[in-house]
Amino acid sequence: MSGDTVTQFEQAVLPHLDAAYTLARYLLRDEDEARDAVQDAYLRALTYFQGFRGGDGRAWILAIVRNTCHTRHQRSRTAPITTSFEDEQHTPEATDDSAISADAERIPVESVREAVEQLPWDFREVVILREVHGYSYKEIGQVVGVPVGTVMSRLSRARRRLRDTLAPELRRRMSA
């Protein structure tokens, strides 16, 4: 590997190390596993960097991190990766997101973090990519490898689950 290739890798991929760790930490729910996964992902990225066609280095490395975490998670089999479809649970209902957002500041960060970690894999990864990293729906679709409509659906369902999980604590805090 030439010095130019290493320099290009450093410029395109290394600035996203923190984002890679954050994603791995939320997906794997374990700091040591997350560090190992990020290290594995960066080694894979360096090995296959000649296949990188330019563009968004952040999306490229996070897709590798996501796939590495997914593989590790499948091997450990500690929790189901996918979510079964249940009509009652996935039926859309109207909500006032602005009121929820305003009240969300009253919930401790640790409670939100725990609620996110309880989400199924498919929901957790899109929430982290959107809410923590600020990715667009299109970018999330690229990282996760699903259509934009699927991203939107997963985000909607994840947010609903977070609301349902955090609502009792919010009511408790508002009445105190």
Side-chain angles (χ1 to χ4, degrees):
M1 186 170 287
S2 72
D4 286 343
T5 303
V6 172
T7 301
Q8 290 171 346
F9 177 82
E10 290 174 348
Q11 291 173 346
V13 179
L14 281 183
H16 311 296
L17 187 59
D18 287 341
Y21 173 74
T22 301
L23 177 62
R25 172 66 183 88
Y26 274 101
L27 291 177
L28 295 173
R29 304 179 194 163
D30 180 272
E31 290 180 22
D32 294 329
E33 277 292 312
R35 285 187 197 105
D36 290 346
V38 170
Q39 182 175 352
D40 289 349
Y42 268 77
L43 285 173
R44 284 184 187 150
L46 182 58
T47 302
Y48 297 104
F49 188 68
Q50 71 276 5
F52 178 62
R53 309 245 188 280
D56 188 359
R58 182 175 71 160
W60 185 72
I61 190 62
L62 290 184
I64 296 170
V65 169
R66 180 223 180 238
N67 292 337
T68 302
C69 291
H70 192 271
T71 300
R72 284 177 167 270
H73 186 73
Q74 281 183 320
R75 282 188 200 143
S76 69
R77 299 278 182 194
T78 57
I81 294 176
T82 58
T83 306
S84 61
F85 185 84
E86 298 170 19
D87 257 344
E88 300 79 24
Q89 184 177 6
H90 298 296
T91 303
E93 50 187 68
T95 59
D96 182 2
D97 283 343
S98 60
I100 292 166
S101 298
D103 291 335
E105 294 176 8
R106 298 181 181 152
I107 300 174
V109 172
E110 190 57 37
S111 295
V112 174
R113 183 175 291 125
E114 288 173 11
V116 169
E117 288 183 358
Q118 291 173 11
L119 290 171
W121 179 278
D122 294 341
F123 295 171
R124 194 167 60 240
E125 68 185 357
V126 295
V127 166
I128 297 307
L129 291 171
R130 178 69 180 169
E131 304 302 336
V132 175
H133 295 296
Y135 271 34
S136 69
Y137 294 155
K138 182 180 177 184
E139 291 171 319
I140 295 168
Q142 290 171 344
V143 170
V144 177
V146 300
V148 172
T150 303
V151 170
M152 294 169 66
S153 173
R154 287 181 184 175
L155 272 170
S156 174
R157 292 173 182 161
R159 288 173 176 155
R160 188 175 320 118
R161 283 190 180 197
L162 288 172
R163 262 192 309 272
D164 292 347
T165 300
L166 295 170
E169 181 165 348
L170 180 59
R171 280 193 289 274
R172 211 173 23 255
R173 290 182 173 277
M174 290 176 70
S175 66

